[in-house]
Amino acid sequence: MDAHLTEWLNLGIRWIHMIVGIAWIGASFYFVWLENNLNRSNPREGLSGDLWAIHGGGIYHLEKYKLAPPQMPENLHWFKWEAYTTWLSGVALLMVIYYLNPGLYLIAPGSDLSPAAAVLIGFGSLIVGWFVYDLLCDSPLGKTPALLGLVLFVLVIAACWGYSQIFSGRAAYIHTGALIGTIMVGNVFRIIMPAQRALVAAIEQNRTPDPVLPAKGLLRSRHNNYFTLPVLFIMISNHFPSTYGSQYNWLILAALGALSVLARHYFNTRHDSNRFAWALPAAAVGMICLAFVTSPNRPSSTPNLTATTPEQASQAAQQQPQQAAEQPAAAASDGVAFAEVSNVIHERCTVCHSAQPTSPLFSAAPAGVMFDTPQQMRQQAAKIHAQTVASQIMPLGNITQMTPEERQLIGQWIAQGAHTE
């Protein structure tokens, strides 16, 4: 498919996915908040509680029935299209980015897995994952929600580990998110909506509604609520190679998922008491710890490569001869010639990262990053180190066959000061 068309198809589907995802997540957060903040003291007959709220210049009064009102209201609002559209647009995005170009984003570099097998494993695991989850919820384990939650958490992280063994780190994260998203929409389609339809049908037929199905739907809705924050991180994870690019990416995702669930639990319980007030500071400390433990090992001589303006680059270039003259002779003999590094970058990187990419996969340089000139290479040295040396996630799918020796060469050049003489 034409690179320009693919880019705009990606943009359009991603935009739709974000819009409907916000609508679904907003509804989930609101109704869980509403359920948790109902005034249940001395409710009116037939009600489980009510709530007064003010928003947008108006005052609202909301009531929740124990099961259902005596008669069906004329207008009843349903919440379902947000979930379905989010999942459908997510699957479309998965196909456009990962399944149309499996060798680029999906399959781990050097893997012997065929594109067809990779796609089959990826999509098939989403369906299998839903049925495993559903069976666990309906098993005796479902009667102990805390234990069930722990088992589900372990299984999701196990799935992430499994994905990381056959897919690229980025694809492993996205498929973990797609697995959780499939479970969430499965809850809506197979549990929550049937329970609500049964409730409405009972009212219309003047029957006493069965309380079991609504209670089951409420539990699955709670699961969806706790799944939300981990999925949100995974949606943006492709911007953070220090997470998915690590050899311990599944452990990093486990930690991020646990911190997300902890933060969500605080917001879900703060109406009742402040016994989980420690959750947010603990999550913040956890994020700081993750930033520390995921920091790549760099030589102590790695220079400050933050200069981005021409004036700063010129000043740094003027200082380089003097700094080089001050280097011990032994260090000079081990130095890396910029011409060698430039050749590697031009051969392995500028097929995509150029003002005029030669790769048919891109019509413009990804993220606007270009390595056409020595100045651009030096200014982007920190990013080059992070993505080709530390995490080794670039080139994408290693389509240009960058060798370990070439990565080591680039790392040595950066450690020496990323000189461009």
Side-chain angles (χ1 to χ4, degrees):
M1 187 179 294
D2 178 74
H4 183 71
L5 177 60
T6 301
E7 180 177 346
W8 277 92
L9 188 61
N10 184 335
L11 188 154
I13 297 174
R14 192 182 296 270
W15 188 234
I16 293 171
H17 187 56
M18 190 176 75
I19 292 171
V20 294
I22 289 172
W24 186 13
I25 292 167
S28 172
F29 281 14
Y30 174 70
F31 279 103
V32 169
W33 177 89
L34 179 61
E35 177 68 25
N36 289 339
N37 287 275
L38 288 173
N39 180 5
R40 302 180 188 274
S41 61
N42 194 27
R44 187 162 57 85
E45 184 178 358
L47 297 182
S48 61
D50 68 342
L51 178 139
W52 291 86
I54 184 169
H55 182 76
I59 297 176
Y60 298 80
H61 184 207
L62 300 101
E63 297 178 327
K64 181 184 178 182
Y65 286 83
K66 290 180 179 178
L67 272 178
Q71 294 181 341
M72 279 296 300
E74 184 176 347
N75 293 312
L76 183 64
H77 297 281
W78 296 71
F79 294 83
K80 56 182 179 179
W81 67 267
E82 302 94 338
Y84 300 156
T85 313
T86 299
W87 187 81
L88 289 172
S89 59
V91 169
L93 199 59
L94 193 67
M95 291 180 177
V96 169
I97 298 176
Y98 292 93
Y99 294 168
L100 288 182
N101 293 297
L104 183 64
Y105 290 110
L106 180 60
I107 303 173
S111 173
D112 294 330
L113 191 66
S114 70
V119 172
L120 184 62
I121 291 172
F123 191 76
S125 65
L126 307 184
I127 308 303
V128 172
W130 153 254
F131 284 105
V132 170
Y133 163 83
D134 191 49
L135 287 172
L136 287 173
C137 288
D138 289 340
S139 72
L141 189 62
K143 297 178 181 178
T144 53
L147 181 58
L148 173 63
L150 179 61
V151 171
L152 292 175
F153 179 81
V154 170
L155 289 178
V156 167
I157 298 305
C160 182
W161 176 85
Y163 287 138
S164 69
Q165 303 306 301
I166 54 176
F167 296 155
S168 69
R170 179 174 169 176
Y173 269 33
I174 291 298
H175 277 80
T176 304
L179 173 63
I180 299 173
T182 299
I183 289 172
M184 293 172 69
V185 79
N187 280 337
V188 174
F189 181 70
R190 290 180 58 89
I191 305 299
I192 298 172
M193 291 306 300
Q196 293 177 172
R197 292 191 188 97
L199 184 63
V200 170
I203 298 170
E204 292 175 340
Q205 298 168 12
N206 293 320
R207 293 187 289 104
T208 301
D210 181 1
V212 174
L213 291 179
K216 188 176 180 180
L218 179 61
L219 176 64
R220 299 298 184 94
S221 180
R222 292 276 185 180
H223 286 180
N224 283 4
N225 184 262
Y226 281 99
F227 281 141
T228 300
L229 293 187
V231 170
L232 281 178
F233 165 73
I234 292 172
M235 287 174 66
I236 63 172
S237 64
N238 62 303
H239 297 288
F240 306 102
S242 61
T243 59
Y244 69 81
S246 169
Q247 61 177 322
Y248 303 111
N249 50 19
W250 60 279
L251 278 177
I252 295 171
L253 185 61
L256 287 167
L259 295 176
S260 301
V261 169
L262 189 63
R264 187 67 240 161
H265 190 62
Y266 163 73
F267 285 106
N268 283 346
T269 59
R270 65 176 181 164
H271 68 284
D272 189 31
S273 69
N274 287 320
R275 67 182 185 275
F276 291 103
W278 54 268
L280 290 185
V285 171
M287 291 293 290
I288 294 172
C289 292
L290 278 175
F292 176 78
V293 300
T294 58
S295 177
N297 293 324
R298 292 176 179 163
S300 59
S301 59
T302 300
N304 181 0
L305 299 172
T306 57
T308 56
T309 67
E311 293 79 7
Q312 291 171 318
S314 175
Q315 183 180 1
Q318 293 172 4
Q319 294 174 350
Q320 288 169 10
Q322 179 181 354
Q323 293 171 348
E326 296 172 354
Q327 296 286 340
S333 64
D334 294 335
V336 175
F338 173 68
E340 295 181 72
V341 175
S342 178
N343 288 339
V344 170
I345 293 177
H346 277 297
E347 183 177 357
R348 308 301 189 190
C349 306
T350 56
V351 293
C352 301
H353 291 285
S354 172
Q356 296 180 332
T358 57
S359 170
L361 299 170
F362 299 99
S363 59
V369 176
M370 292 175 282
F371 305 133
D372 294 319
T373 67
Q375 291 76 15
Q376 290 173 334
M377 295 179 193
R378 174 175 171 78
Q379 290 169 6
Q380 299 288 344
K383 288 184 178 180
I384 293 173
H385 184 279
Q387 307 230 10
T388 64
V389 181
S391 64
Q392 300 189 14
I393 63 169
M394 290 289 174
L396 282 172
N398 203 17
I399 56 174
T400 57
Q401 301 299 307
M402 180 179 283
T403 68
E405 292 76 18
E406 290 170 337
R407 296 181 193 276
Q408 184 179 11
L409 183 74
I410 292 173
Q412 291 174 348
W413 169 67
I414 294 172
Q416 291 172 191
H419 304 313
T420 57
E421 293 88 354

